[in-house]
Amino acid sequence: MSIQWFPGHMNSARKQAEEQMEFIDLVVEVLDARLPEASCNPLVDRMRQFRQRPVLKVLNKIDLADPNATAAWKAYYDALPGVTAYPMTTKKPLDVARLPALALSLAPHRGVPTKPLRIMIMGIPNVGKSTLMNALLKKRVAKVGDEPAVTKVQQKLYLDKHTVLVDTPGLMWPKIDMPSDGLMLAASHAIGTNALIEEEVAFFLGDVLLERYPQLLTARYGFKTEGLDGIGVVEQVAARRGFRARGGEFDVEKAAHVLLHDYRSGAIGRISLETPDSRARRLAVHAAEKAEKERLAAEKAAAKAEEAARGKRGT
Ligand code: GDP
């Protein structure tokens, strides 16, 4: 399965962001700390590099993320040119309060009334952009919602005399290259799901939890994880919670919903779906699979051409 999501307004969002990039000094890119690269729109980096703008990568929702993974991501991003990472949660006023000074330190030539620091807040839906803006401005200016893609209208707001915020509507990439990224985003609620996809997403989440946090699963639901796979995790949740469908078999749909809800709310614990290392491994596997697919396609095309040539020769 491959999750794709690219509504029309995303296209205009891209155009707007491209135009705005010329008139800003710093990109504040909000990412989900639990899945920083999967929740990162590669277009943002391409656009900002084209205009040579630095980026502050806000690793938001650290209250839900694994602190070790977050520390690894910070080190990873800080080592990249023009990139500074800031792990934070909008739930902590102090984390929010520290952001403007940090932003200014990345564009020190700005920040006076005649030359205010112009910040563009970017990021895919549901990473916490509106919440961050509201907290920065200490009043309700943007609608906050738990459904994807609530932020739709562009706004320009003075944070203080020295800082202007430009908010950009949520951006997603036109094509999610790695299927696991779609699944991570769906698990974390950046992409809307239906019941059918929800089960597949829960199986995927079950696999990740088994690999990285089996002890949290046992602590939360009380089952042993040995010998299970992602489907088995969801079935065990159903068994432990007594979720049965009419025929007596496990109500997998309900258990999938509960597992996802527990992950999203942090009830299972502080969980990160990827680390720089796990990301590198996934990328390597994905590249190898892609190369193999291309090799097979080329082989097939060659065989077809050979067959056609033979047909022409009449052999
Ligand atoms: P946007 O679409 O990027 O503007 O995201 P929103 O600001 O609407 O936030 C999406 C959801 O994430 C809302 O339910 C917020 O309450 C929640 N949220 C935002 N920041 C945090 C955070 O630091 N921690 C947690 N746990 N939830 C957050």
Side-chain angles (χ1 to χ4, degrees), residues 60-64 88-91 124-132 143-147 149-151:
N60 192 34
K61 307 195 186 185
I62 52 163
D63 53 308
L64 299 173
M88 63 160 282
T89 165
T90 57
K91 296 200 180 288
I124 67 165
N126 224 34
V127 285
K129 298 180 299 297
S130 308
T131 314
L132 176 63
K143 196 177 160 204
V144 180
D146 197 25
E147 284 303 312
V150 163
T151 317

